[in-house]
Amino acid sequence: MSQIWKRYADKRYVGILRALRLRLALSGAALWAEVLSRRFWPFWTLVLFAYAFAAFGGFGLFSVNIGRGILGLMLALGVGLLVWGARGLQLPNRNAVIDRLDGSNDNTPLASLRDHSATGKGDAFTRSLWEAHQTSMATQSVYLVPSPPDLRLSRHDKNGLRFMALVSALAAVFFAPSGNLTAAKNTLLTPSAAMAFATSMEAWATP
């Protein structure tokens, strides 16, 4: 392959990536959605369950100290799930985004455009065939379409906990009494000393 053609092919590849920047951004967003959903679905499941529990007055079934213990356990578990998700997080890089978009075509034209001819560099006929192939791949790359994210988590959540949490949270939004969350917050977050002295005194004086 001549150096002139190589420089032209490299410039064309960069130009194609620039023309596909919106579709590459959508492919990157799909990869991010998949990674975040797979690593952090336990955390969001816990958050939804905790919201439904508080909205339906679950903390009111226990004493203040037990309620605070449950709240502390939820917070500790939530932090643990966040740490677990972050430790296994693999951020998608630029090459992964390009490969994701390229995978929408069985011929993977972008990968073909990064290739170089291994044989026949000095043969004009072989070089012309390779250049024609590269031109065909460049044309196909224009029609690449980003694929939607695969958010199926059945392999990770075999018991469907995320669906139960979502249904519980939706039921709390529509059917739970509106004052339960405020009452739970005031009860659990008010300092003990303030609760001890939050008594009222009534007196009557006879004229």
Side-chain angles (χ1 to χ4, degrees):
M1 180 183 294
S2 66
Q3 291 299 318
I4 296 178
W5 169 260
K6 185 178 183 301
R7 287 195 297 269
Y8 167 74
D10 291 341
K11 282 185 64 176
R12 183 174 60 181
Y13 178 71
V14 173
I16 289 172
L17 292 184
R18 288 175 181 171
L20 296 174
R21 59 183 177 273
L22 177 58
R23 279 173 271 186
L24 287 171
L26 292 175
S27 296
L31 278 177
W32 273 96
E34 291 177 357
V35 170
L36 294 178
S37 64
R38 291 168 186 170
R39 297 305 306 175
F40 293 103
W41 73 265
F43 173 75
W44 290 113
T45 299
L46 175 65
V47 170
L48 293 176
F49 271 131
Y51 168 77
F53 180 78
F56 280 114
F59 287 106
L61 301 175
F62 307 96
S63 65
V64 174
N65 290 333
I66 294 178
R68 288 179 177 177
I70 295 173
L71 179 62
L73 181 62
M74 288 180 177
L75 292 176
L77 184 57
V79 172
L81 291 176
L82 277 177
V83 172
W84 176 83
R87 289 187 64 181
L89 191 63
Q90 295 181 352
L91 303 181
N93 55 30
R94 179 176 173 80
N95 289 333
V97 173
I98 294 174
D99 292 340
R100 169 66 175 246
L101 180 62
D102 203 21
S104 63
N105 187 317
D106 293 337
N107 294 327
T108 59
L110 293 177
S112 298
L113 290 172
R114 292 199 298 265
D115 291 338
H116 299 287
S117 179
T119 59
K121 295 182 179 180
D123 180 37
F125 178 72
T126 303
R127 188 167 60 247
S128 65
L129 286 178
W130 177 254
E131 293 172 2
H133 167 70
Q134 292 289 85
T135 302
S136 174
M137 293 296 101
T139 302
Q140 292 186 36
S141 66
V142 177
Y143 299 99
L144 290 173
V145 178
S147 56
D150 182 9
L151 301 180
R152 293 173 295 180
L153 298 172
S154 55
R155 185 165 60 91
H156 306 276
D157 180 20
K158 297 181 180 179
N159 296 319
L161 292 176
R162 66 195 187 282
F163 294 123
M164 290 188 281
L166 180 60
V167 171
S168 300
L170 289 176
V173 169
F174 291 106
F175 302 110
S178 58
N180 280 347
L181 287 176
T182 303
K185 183 184 74 172
N186 293 336
T187 301
L188 297 175
L189 301 182
T190 301
S192 300
M195 291 181 63
F197 291 102
T199 58
S200 61
M201 178 180 294
E202 296 182 2
W204 292 267
T206 302

